[in-house]
Amino acid sequence: YHLDHFVIPTHYEKDVSSILIPHGVIMDRVNKLARLIVDESNGPLVVCCILKGGHQYFADLVNVIKKLTKKSGNSVPLSLEFIRVKSYHNDQSTGDVKVSLTEDECKEFKGKNLLIVEDIIDTGATMVKLLEKLRQYEPASIKVTSLLIKKTDRSNGYIPDYVGFAIPDAFVVGYALDYNEYFRDLDHICVISEHGKERYANA
Ligand code: 5GP
Ligand code: MG
Ligand code: MG
C-alpha cells in the first residue's frame, strides 16, 4: 500500500489543475481491457506501441496480457513493435502521417494480426491516416486500443475497438502523455494548469 501513489510529485504540484484519472483507476481499467483483448484474440498478435505517449499503457497492457495467457486456455503469443508517428495536418482532411518503420519492417505485417496501442484519440485524424497506411501492407486484421478518447466536436467520428476512458475536451498529461516532453513522469492522468502551460511552454 503506497501512499506516494496518491501524490503529485512536488516538481509538478502547481502545474496540474486536477487529477482526472488516478493511477489505480487506470490500472483497473487496463486489467479489464487486457482481459477483453485476450478473450477476443486467437493466435499470435503483433502489439504495436505508438510512441512516445502510448508507451506506459503499452507496457502495462502487455504485462497483464502476459499474465492472463499464462493461466487461460487462450494461446496468444506476442511480438512487439514500436512506431513513432508524426502527423501533419494543416487542414483536417488532407493530413498525412509519417511512420518511423522502414518499408521492409512494414512488409512484415502481411498476414499478421495487429493490435495498435495508442494513448489518446482527439480528432481521430492521426489514427485514420495510420490505419490507411498499415492496410496497404495487408495484415490479416488490425484492431486499435486507445486508453483515452476525447469528447470533442472536432472528432472525425473514429472510435477504436477498445477504449479505456472517454474524457472531456481538455489537454491532459501524465501516464506517458506529455506537454512539450514534460509530465510523462507523472503516474496519474491530470489536466494541465495555466501555470504548467506557461512554465513548460516551448521557448
Ligand atoms: P488526433 O490526430 O486524434 O487529433 O491526435 C492524436 C495525437 O495528438 C495523440 O496521439 C496525442 O499525441 C496528441 N494529443 C491529443 N490530445 C492530447 C492531450 O490532451 N494531451 C496530450 N498530451 N496529447 C494529446
Ligand atoms: Mg499518441
Ligand atoms: Mg505529444
Side-chain angles (χ1 to χ4, degrees):
Y1 196 95
H2 300 290
L3 286 173
D4 282 354
H5 272 307
F6 300 100
V7 171
I8 301 292
T10 45
H11 56 267
Y12 289 140
E13 248 167 22
K14 291 180 180 162
D15 304 322
V16 299
S17 54
S18 65
I19 299 179
L20 191 62
I21 315 174
H23 185 257
V25 177
I26 301 172
M27 295 309 289
D28 280 358
R29 188 71 186 130
V30 171
N31 268 280
K32 292 214 174 81
L33 290 168
R35 200 156 289 148
L36 266 177
I37 289 165
V38 169
D39 285 347
E40 294 180 6
S41 301
N42 47 351
L45 262 189
V46 182
V47 192
C48 302
C49 175
I50 307 301
L51 295 170
K52 299 177 188 176
H55 101 262
Q56 193 62 61
Y57 175 39
F58 172 89
D60 289 332
L61 187 73
V62 165
N63 234 346
V64 183
I65 294 177
K66 266 165 31 182
K67 283 183 192 144
L68 288 174
T69 55
K70 259 182 227 165
K71 290 183 261 175
S72 83
N74 260 11
S75 163
V76 187
L78 305 179
S79 48
L80 310 181
E81 196 57 75
F82 298 85
I83 314 178
R84 283 200 78 166
V85 177
K86 287 228 158 73
S87 45
Y88 302 97
H89 31 106
N90 306 325
D91 75 82
Q92 240 89 337
S93 54
T94 60
D96 199 8
V97 296
K98 253 207 169 102
V99 303
S100 61
L101 299 178
T102 64
E103 194 66 15
D104 280 350
E105 286 171 319
C106 287
K107 282 180 180 160
E108 292 290 318
F109 293 149
K110 188 164 181 167
K112 307 265 175 74
N113 294 308
L114 309 186
L115 175 68
I116 313 294
V117 182
E118 173 68 297
D119 51 0
I120 183 167
I121 305 292
D122 184 0
T123 64
T126 307
M127 189 53 66
V128 165
K129 290 288 166 189
L130 176 64
L131 290 174
E132 254 171 47
K133 189 170 182 101
L134 292 175
R135 282 193 195 103
Q136 293 169 11
Y137 298 95
E138 301 175 357
S141 70
I142 310 181
K143 289 212 167 163
V144 176
T145 180
S146 181
L147 182 65
L148 307 172
I149 188 167
K150 237 183 235 187
K151 289 194 217 168
T152 166
D153 48 25
R154 296 182 311 279
S155 166
N156 63 6
Y158 174 76
I159 297 174
D161 301 277
Y162 307 98
V163 177
F165 303 92
I167 63 163
D169 195 357
F171 195 82
V172 292
V173 293
Y175 197 71
L177 284 90
D178 76 309
Y179 176 72
N180 292 329
E181 297 304 324
Y182 289 94
F183 298 99
R184 297 195 198 275
D185 58 331
L186 177 64
D187 285 336
H188 318 290
I189 291 171
C190 297
V191 178
I192 193 171
S193 68
E194 282 309 313
H195 187 277
K197 278 187 190 168
E198 278 164 34
R199 183 170 179 194
Y200 295 109
N202 261 336

